[in-house]
Amino acid sequence: MNYKIALLKGDGIGPEIVDATLPILDKIGEKFGHSFTYTPYLMGGIAYDETGHPLPEETVKGCLAADSVLLGAVGGPKWDTLPGHLRPEAALLGIRAAMGLYSNLRPAKLYPPLKEACPLRAELAEAGFDILIVRELTGGIYFGERGRNQGENGEEAYDTERYSVKEIERIGRVAFEAARKRGKKLISIDKANVLESSRLWRETIHRLAQEYPDVSYTDMLVDNAAMQLVRNPAQFDVVVTSNMFGDILSDEASQLTGSIGMLPSSSLGEGTNGMYEPIHGSAPDIAGKGAANPIATILSAAMMLRFSFGLDKEAGAIEEAVNKVLESGLRTADIAAPNEAFVGTAAMRDAILQCIIDNA
Ligand code: IPM
Ligand code: MG
């Protein structure tokens, strides 16, 4: 079968990591009898430079018409002074909203060969962890009313955290269903001791929990969660949380895996057309140097195969190849231990490709 993939390479290291992923997809296609057609669209700073808007209409149409979307990264210092609605990040929020991608899965697991790169104490790294962060992606403070006013003390600005029962329920369901297929343990993270939106969040998830008696469910306040993640990450299985808390906690969790360069993500709505992207940013400091770790993007492509195309075996083949390459000791700079040798994007890509070829 042929799958149409829209590519949003974006800015910084975005083009390099997406380009490193396509030969892997092609090899999987060749091995398992599928083909992938790629159509690139402009998004982010590059789109602003070329068209005057970070999310051109054509890009939205192309993504909606595709079977799935692979995204690199957007943003960079060059566009930091633009007004909010023209910033590359606004394009990312715009495409998430346009495609209705409310459910963002961010798996953070410690690959055993990367234990050395985990910044936690040896016994915690030894125990390992495998956490699935389910982040609500199209609501909350990212999309609430915002603005500026002249107040008593001069200029003021505000952003609004707002959630409806419907939004909380649908992300809650995704999380309970995911927990059911894994360790059957769900922790919902909020700030219900202060925020009204979190109190509604908690009430709603509690109600939902009655439909999932087989899943053990607890709440945790976000400040405590930030602390528990570094104290004892093994206690987490699936967590569900709001857009902003999920943004912050997933960066924290990523670092426990050794590097933010390791974490893939999937964003889905009601259908199977989703967007897949590494959770890291555009890393302008290393852009164009061929140094970026492509693994988060390659693993994002694996998630695409599994969640958008239902190709489980194929996704597993990519994940297994990544695991083997890490076991073999190959490292990019971000996951290398101090004084350990490392390679660049191309060598990492080639090693993963070779593993897929060899695992006949
Ligand atoms: C992420 C990123 C984005 C977010 C930014 C680039 C808008 O940090 O995907 O985690 O905050 O959602
Ligand atoms: Mg983030």
Side-chain angles (χ1 to χ4, degrees):
M1 173 144 176
N2 180 262
Y3 299 94
K4 287 184 293 174
I5 301 177
L7 301 179
L8 305 175
K9 297 186 185 182
D11 309 315
I13 58 170
E16 299 162 60
I17 53 181
V18 171
D19 287 341
T21 301
L22 303 185
I24 310 252
L25 277 173
D26 288 337
K27 184 55 68 186
I28 290 286
E30 198 181 296
K31 256 186 100 155
F32 293 87
H34 314 290
S35 59
F36 303 104
T37 323
Y38 311 109
T39 315
Y41 294 95
L42 292 172
M43 189 180 92
I46 176 121
Y48 175 78
D49 287 349
E50 294 197 13
T51 71
H53 198 280
L55 183 61
E57 195 47 46
E58 194 195 335
T59 299
V60 177
K61 281 201 189 119
C63 290
L64 288 171
D67 294 319
S68 195
V69 182
L70 184 66
L71 167 73
V74 295
K78 186 176 171 195
W79 304 283
D80 273 351
T81 50
L82 287 171
H85 70 287
L86 291 177
R87 286 183 62 118
E89 291 82 358
L92 190 51
L93 303 197
I95 191 72
R96 287 173 180 168
M99 294 179 71
L101 307 175
Y102 63 83
S103 156
N104 183 213
L105 305 188
R106 300 188 158 193
K109 77 169 182 185
L110 184 60
Y111 282 82
L114 286 188
K115 275 179 192 156
E116 299 292 306
C118 171
L120 300 180
R121 280 203 313 274
E123 70 266 27
L124 293 173
E126 203 47 51
F129 58 86
D130 181 353
I131 307 172
L132 178 65
I133 299 178
V134 180
R135 171 189 178 196
E136 199 290 326
L137 202 60
T138 52
I141 200 164
Y142 274 57
F143 291 91
E145 195 194 331
R146 71 181 93 245
R148 293 191 182 213
N149 283 327
Q150 282 304 319
E152 269 170 38
N153 302 312
E155 192 175 17
E156 297 176 345
Y158 62 94
D159 300 273
T160 319
E161 174 81 348
R162 184 172 169 280
Y163 270 112
S164 65
V165 168
K166 182 182 160 208
E167 289 171 304
I168 303 166
E169 256 177 21
R170 66 184 184 184
I171 194 68
R173 274 191 203 288
V174 170
F176 275 110
E177 295 291 340
R180 215 168 228 181
K181 294 196 198 112
R182 297 174 33 116
K184 298 196 166 28
K185 191 174 163 200
L186 177 65
I187 299 182
S188 171
I189 295 172
D190 61 36
K191 188 70 186 171
N193 53 348
V194 177
L195 303 177
E196 198 53 39
S197 52
S198 278
R199 288 191 270 273
L200 183 66
W201 180 282
R202 195 175 275 211
E203 278 163 38
T204 307
I205 305 272
H206 268 258
R207 216 170 33 243
L208 209 54
Q210 292 167 4
E211 294 178 36
Y212 298 88
D214 51 322
V215 175
S216 107
Y217 158 64
T218 44
D219 305 296
M220 196 180 274
L221 294 171
V222 64
D223 48 350
N224 184 29
M227 184 268 280
Q228 295 295 341
L229 262 176
V230 291
R231 196 185 73 91
N232 174 19
Q235 72 186 290
F236 294 96
D237 174 23
V238 179
V239 311
V240 63
T241 192
S242 65
N243 205 341
M244 186 162 67
F245 295 160
D247 179 44
I248 298 168
L249 293 175
S250 60
D251 267 33
E252 185 187 357
S254 76
Q255 200 54 40
L256 302 181
T257 70
S259 163
I260 195 168
M262 293 295 300
L263 249 73
S265 78
S266 68
S267 305
L268 283 156
E270 295 304 342
T272 56
N273 184 5
M275 192 162 80
Y276 297 81
E277 54 174 309
I279 79 149
H280 61 69
S282 59
D285 51 323
I286 58 164
K289 296 188 176 153
N293 182 355
I295 291 180
T297 316
I298 291 170
L299 291 174
S300 298
M303 291 184 90
M304 171 188 289
L305 296 181
R306 178 171 291 125
F307 295 126
S308 278
F309 307 153
L311 302 176
D312 251 351
K313 264 197 329 286
E314 291 81 346
I318 295 181
E319 289 158 352
E320 197 188 312
V322 167
N323 206 15
K324 283 220 167 114
V325 166
L326 292 174
E327 268 169 10
S328 78
L330 201 72
R331 300 284 181 267
T332 43
D334 57 315
I335 48 177
N339 302 321
E340 198 178 14
F342 55 83
V343 300
T345 315
M348 183 54 88
R349 170 203 65 203
D350 289 347
I352 295 171
L353 209 49
Q354 193 57 48
C355 256
I356 292 173
I357 295 169
D358 293 345
N359 292 346

